[in-house]
Structure formats: C-alpha cells, structure tokens
C-alpha cells in the first residue's frame, strides 16, 4: 500500500456533495415508501384474476420500493461518508472520508468499470455516474472504490484514473 507522501504532487481535489445525498434520501425514502405502498394497495384492490391489469400496480409498487431502497442507501452513505473527497496525485489517488484516508498508487488499480446508467430517473436519484475502481489487492480491507455522480467532476476524475492506471498515461502538473 502506498503512502500519501510517496504519490508525489497534488494535482486536484474532488469533493463529494454529501448534502445532495441527504436531500435525495430525505425525498426518496418517504416518497418511495408511499408509492410502493400505493402499488401494493392497488394490487390488493384489483381482482387477482385481472391478469394484465396487475402490471401497472406492480410497476408502481416496484418503482416505489426501488426509490425507497436507493433513499436508504443514500441516507447511509450520508451518515458514514462524511467529508468524502478524492485527491488526485501524480502517482495515484487518495480516497478519504470519516477522518480516514486510503492512498492507492496507479500500480494498485486493476481496472475501472463504468456502471452508470444515464436516464432521467438515475439522474434524479443521483446514481447516473458510477465508476468502480477495481484494486489488484485489498487496500484498507476494500477491493474497490466507487466514484459516483455526487463527486465533483466525477467523469473527468474517473477517466484520468483510467488513463493513468490502465493505459499508463500519467497525469502531470500541466496536463489534465
């Protein structure tokens, strides 16, 4: 595991918007629960023999409970990832939150996977950008790090990390 001082000069700092996570959780949990319950109520009211008529209530219930779960996840991340920040260095990346830091050199990164889905719903829930930085071996007990759409300029940060770790194109003070 690399130490921060071994990673060279600081090239950038990318803070995570925890307040946006909090707002999404604040809205998604109660609205998702209400819409999910409405879908279940619609299914109970409709005749079980209605066949295709059950599709709409099932979709409503599923969407509601999906939003509820995303809201719970964002609430947990809000509570556990206080002051989350990614610091880009010449020789790697440091992921920090909750008073702890995990320095990761470029050599420790195996791959970067883009798991984002750009749709109106995903943007509204804050899950449209999801880059998973896969590590060669655990760093601080973690096998991967996620750069999400809540992080400032997440796409640029993830692409810079991909270029450095996967393609060997290192960022410099006057580049990227």
């Amino acid at each position: 595991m690399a130490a921060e001082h071994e990673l060279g000069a600081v090239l950038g700092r990318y803070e995570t918007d925890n307040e946006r996570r909090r707002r999404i959780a604040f809205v998604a949990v109660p609205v998702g629960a209400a819409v999910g319950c409405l879908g279940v109520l619609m299914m109970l009211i409709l005749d079980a023999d209605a066949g295709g008529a059950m599709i709409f209530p099932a979709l409503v219930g599923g969407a509601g409970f999906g939003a509820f779960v995303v809201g719970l996840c964002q609430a947990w991340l809000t509570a556990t990832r206080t002051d989350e920040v990614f610091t880009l260095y010449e020789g790697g990346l440091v992921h920090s939150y909750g008073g702890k830091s995990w320095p990761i050199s470029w050599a420790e990164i195996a791959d970067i996977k883009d798991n984002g889905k750009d749709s109106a719903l995903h943007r509204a829930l804050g899950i449209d950008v999801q880059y998973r930085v896969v590590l060669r071996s655990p760093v601080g007990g973690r096998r991967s790090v996620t750069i999400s759409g809540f992080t400032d300029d997440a796409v640029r940060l993830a692409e810079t990390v991909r270029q450095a770790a996967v393609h060997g194109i290192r960022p410099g003070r006057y580049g990227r």
Side-chain angles (χ1 to χ4, degrees), residues 28 31-40 43 58-71:
V31 171
V35 171
C37 290
L38 177 65
V40 170
M43 285 189 282
L59 286 174
V60 170
F65 287 126
F68 177 77
V69 169
V70 167

Side-chain angles (χ1 to χ4, degrees), residues 33-85:
V35 171
C37 290
L38 177 65
V40 170
L41 183 62
M42 289 167 54
M43 285 189 282
L44 293 173
I45 292 173
L46 288 176
D47 184 4
D49 296 327
M54 294 298 274
I55 292 174
F56 180 71
L59 286 174
V60 170
F65 287 126
F68 177 77
V69 169
V70 167
L72 285 179
C73 291
Q74 295 305 335
W76 185 35
L77 289 172
T78 297
T80 60
R81 302 267 173 122
T82 57
D83 300 323
E84 183 176 24
V85 66

Side-chain angles (χ1 to χ4, degrees), residues 8-54:
V10 174
L11 302 177
R13 182 176 163 85
Y14 300 83
E15 295 184 14
T16 301
D17 188 352
N18 223 21
E19 186 57 37
R20 182 174 168 222
R21 278 184 180 150
R22 183 177 287 109
R23 285 191 308 269
I24 288 172
F26 185 75
V27 172
V29 169
V31 171
V35 171
C37 290
L38 177 65
V40 170
L41 183 62
M42 289 167 54
M43 285 189 282
L44 293 173
I45 292 173
L46 288 176
D47 184 4
D49 296 327
M54 294 298 274

Side-chain angles (χ1 to χ4, degrees), residues 28 51 71 116 167:
H167 302 293

